[in-house]
């Protein structure tokens, strides 16, 4: 593949990360963490991720977004007005020099760039909420919209009332990961001599994969949608919830008969394993109030850490329920170096969970430095397109390129 230098499994792979929100940026972040050279192309005003909180010192500014620091770590930054003819020509030229283009542009902008024709040998992954084709190609979305449209939210929440919507960017993070898998498939094909691939990733369809057993159950038995049974109640598995302990919370799930029997022994009530009310997962769910009446008072007698460690010893799926502050202190995650340090020259550094992979022979970047807006524009155009210094400055004067002279 084209490219040079760097370390990591994907060293030498050239990637353009073009437009879009969290999903495209996260896909690019995965490539950057694996050693690919990723150029983040933004409009001169900056991309959406630069306007996402939290912000350093609580002040919204393009160089202070924690999300931008996380998503753009280890990328090179180019700020270009690709709605202008000369800007579009530059994007096409860079695409021809790339192995992969990740784009999540509005349909009309993507059509105007026409990268599939301009860069026939590059793999191009297009991300959108509802897909590039079909009646919803122009629809807008959010993470909540994607979860709702994929039937993910319907069973979550109290029995009476609307479904609950979790916060955050889970749908986009998942969509970015799906796009990464698709892109790696295309790059594998290119390495074996195939031409450029065109991939269409719908964030709603990626989210719909989480329908899993519900979709299969409906397909097989035509069962009508189940009404919500209550918070953390998902038939037919019981128990599957968060229980209060002497100091905090512990998550418990029992799927198999062996897990349920072990759970009964763990709480000092082995007789419950033979109680006909709790003999099967279906029976336990049908008698959920009685079940919790047995479990809750017993689990309140010990700290959460006790139930977590003893439960794991007994092969019962248990989990602590930490706050974000507590997450960073968990010995297991610390031992596995699960956190990375994210930096930016104009904002304080912070630690956050890093890319969750480990390769035996090629390191994955854990954290890294994010670029300022347009930071590498001059050098990218000189290196990749052999533009002279005067040609680059002319682009700045024409408003095509934002390339401020930045202090180190």
């Amino acid at each position: 593949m084209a490219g040079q230098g760097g370390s990591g499994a994907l060293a030498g792979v050239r990637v353009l990360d073009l437009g879009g929100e969290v999903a495209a940026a996260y896909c690019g972040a995965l490539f950057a963490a694996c050693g690919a050279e990723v150029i983040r192309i933004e409009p001169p005003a900056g991309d959406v991720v630069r306007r996402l909180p939290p912000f350093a010192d609580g002040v919204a500014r393009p160089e202070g977004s924690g999300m931008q620091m996380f998503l753009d770590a280890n990328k090179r930054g180019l700020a270009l007005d690709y709605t202008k003819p000369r800007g579009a020509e530059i994007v096409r030229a860079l695409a021809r020099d790339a192995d992969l283009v990740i784009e999540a542009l509005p349909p009309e902008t993507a059509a105007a760039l026409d990268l599939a024709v301009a860069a026939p040998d590059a793999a191009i992954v297009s991300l959108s909420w509802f897909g590039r084709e079909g009646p919803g190609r122009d629809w807008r979305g959010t993470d909540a919209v994607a979860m709702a449209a994929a039937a993910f939210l319907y069973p979550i929440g109290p029995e009476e009332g609307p479904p609950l919507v979790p916060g955050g960017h889970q749908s986009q993070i998942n969509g970015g990961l799906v796009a990464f898998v698709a892109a790696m498939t295309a790059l594998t094909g290119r390495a074996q001599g195939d031409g450029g691939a065109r991939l269409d990733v719908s964030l709603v369809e990626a989210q719909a994969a989480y329908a899993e057993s519900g979709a299969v159950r409906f397909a097989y038995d035509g069962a009508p949608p189940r009404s919500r049974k209550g918070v953390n109640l998902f038939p037919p598995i019981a128990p599957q919830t968060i229980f209060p302990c002497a100091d905090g919370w512990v998550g418990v799930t029992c799927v198999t008969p062996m897990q349920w029997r072990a759970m009964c022994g763990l709480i000092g009530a082995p007789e419950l394993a033979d109680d006909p009310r709790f003999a099967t997962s279906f029976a336990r769910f049908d008698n959920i109030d009685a079940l919790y009446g047995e479990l809750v008072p017993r689990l309140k007698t010990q700290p959460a850490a006790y139930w977590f460690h003893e439960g794991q010893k007994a092969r019962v799926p248990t989990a602590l329920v930490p706050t974000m502050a507590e997450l960073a202190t968990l010995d297991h995650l610390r031992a596995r170096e699960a956190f990375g340090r994210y930096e930016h020259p104009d904002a304080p550094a912070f630690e956050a969970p890093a890319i969750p992979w480990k390769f035996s022979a090629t390191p994955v970047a854990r954290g890294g430095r994010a670029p300022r807006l347009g930071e590498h524009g001059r050098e990218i155009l000189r290196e990749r397109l052999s533009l002279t210094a005067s040609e680059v400055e002319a682009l700045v004067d024409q408003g095509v390129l934002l390339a401020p002279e930045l202090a180190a």
Side-chain angles (χ1 to χ4, degrees):
M1 295 182 182
Q4 61 183 6
S7 62
L10 297 180
V13 176
R14 289 180 171 178
V15 179
L16 293 190
D17 179 348
L18 181 63
E21 302 179 20
V22 172
Y26 187 67
C27 182
L30 295 173
F31 277 97
C34 292
E37 183 183 16
V38 181
I39 296 176
R40 179 85 157 107
I41 302 180
E42 305 178 67
D47 247 329
V48 172
V49 296
R50 290 185 181 272
R51 298 191 287 276
L52 294 178
F55 294 100
D57 305 318
V59 179
R61 54 189 175 88
E63 307 298 357
S65 165
M67 283 297 294
Q68 187 267 332
M69 293 170 66
F70 173 74
L71 292 168
D72 287 346
N74 307 303
K75 300 177 184 178
R76 303 171 76 193
L78 171 62
L80 192 69
D81 188 349
Y82 42 77
T83 65
K84 295 183 176 180
R86 182 61 179 131
E89 289 175 7
I90 291 172
V91 172
R92 295 185 191 106
L94 290 171
R96 283 191 290 272
D97 189 47
D99 300 297
L100 170 69
V101 179
I102 305 164
E103 67 89 3
L105 299 169
E108 62 276 10
T109 305
L113 288 174
D114 200 10
L115 296 179
V117 172
D121 294 327
I124 300 177
V125 178
S126 298
L127 294 93
S128 59
W129 289 104
F130 292 89
R132 286 298 193 196
E133 298 179 353
R137 68 185 299 269
D138 295 318
W139 296 350
R140 293 293 299 150
T142 64
D143 290 87
V145 166
M147 286 185 279
F152 183 77
L153 296 182
Y154 185 84
I156 301 176
E159 189 169 4
E160 299 296 333
L164 296 180
V165 181
H169 301 288
Q170 292 92 336
S171 290
Q172 294 196 73
I173 294 296
N174 176 61
L177 179 58
V178 169
F180 177 85
V181 174
M184 284 302 303
T185 303
L187 291 177
T188 300
R190 286 184 84 246
Q192 296 175 343
D194 296 342
R198 307 293 175 254
L199 301 101
D200 180 355
V201 176
S202 160
L203 303 188
V204 171
E205 291 170 23
Q207 184 68 42
Y210 287 102
E212 26 159 286
S213 61
V216 174
R217 184 170 56 246
F218 178 78
Y220 276 5
D221 61 22
R226 294 179 183 270
S227 61
R228 285 178 296 282
K229 298 299 183 182
V231 176
N232 290 342
L233 295 177
F234 302 99
I237 300 172
Q240 181 184 227
T241 193
I242 309 297
F243 290 102
C245 303
D247 68 340
W249 303 84
V250 67
V252 179
T253 299
C254 294
V255 178
T256 69
M258 290 182 63
Q259 290 170 351
W260 170 241
R261 186 167 291 276
M263 181 67 188
C264 295
L266 176 66
I267 62 175
E271 69 278 5
L272 295 180
D274 298 315
D275 189 319
R277 296 175 300 168
F278 311 135
T280 67
S281 183
F282 285 100
R284 290 193 295 275
F285 195 89
D286 289 340
N287 294 282
I288 198 72
D289 291 338
L291 177 69
Y292 286 1
E294 298 285 354
L295 296 180
V296 169
R298 290 179 169 89
L299 291 170
K300 282 185 176 180
T301 62
Q302 296 287 349
Y306 172 85
W307 294 120
F308 167 62
H309 289 293
E310 293 303 312
Q312 288 295 327
K313 289 178 186 177
R315 310 305 295 167
V316 177
T318 54
L320 294 171
V321 187
T323 64
M324 287 306 300
E326 293 167 340
L327 182 69
T329 69
L330 296 183
D331 52 1
H332 174 70
L333 295 181
R334 281 295 170 190
R336 286 183 54 79
E337 300 179 343
F339 292 82
R341 179 179 173 85
Y342 293 87
E343 300 176 342
H344 188 286
D346 301 322
F350 61 87
E351 274 198 342
I355 301 303
W357 298 329
K358 285 182 171 61
F359 298 156
S360 60
T362 50
V364 174
R366 314 200 72 72
R369 180 191 182 281
R372 291 166 168 143
L373 180 60
E375 180 172 349
H376 304 101
R378 286 182 169 85
E379 63 187 65
I380 289 171
L381 297 188
R382 289 197 299 264
E383 292 172 6
R384 291 298 176 79
L385 304 185
S386 300
L387 297 187
T388 65
S390 60
E391 288 173 325
V392 171
E393 295 312 313
L395 293 173
V396 174
D397 294 339
Q398 296 162 11
V400 173
L401 177 71
L402 175 70
E405 296 288 355
L406 300 169

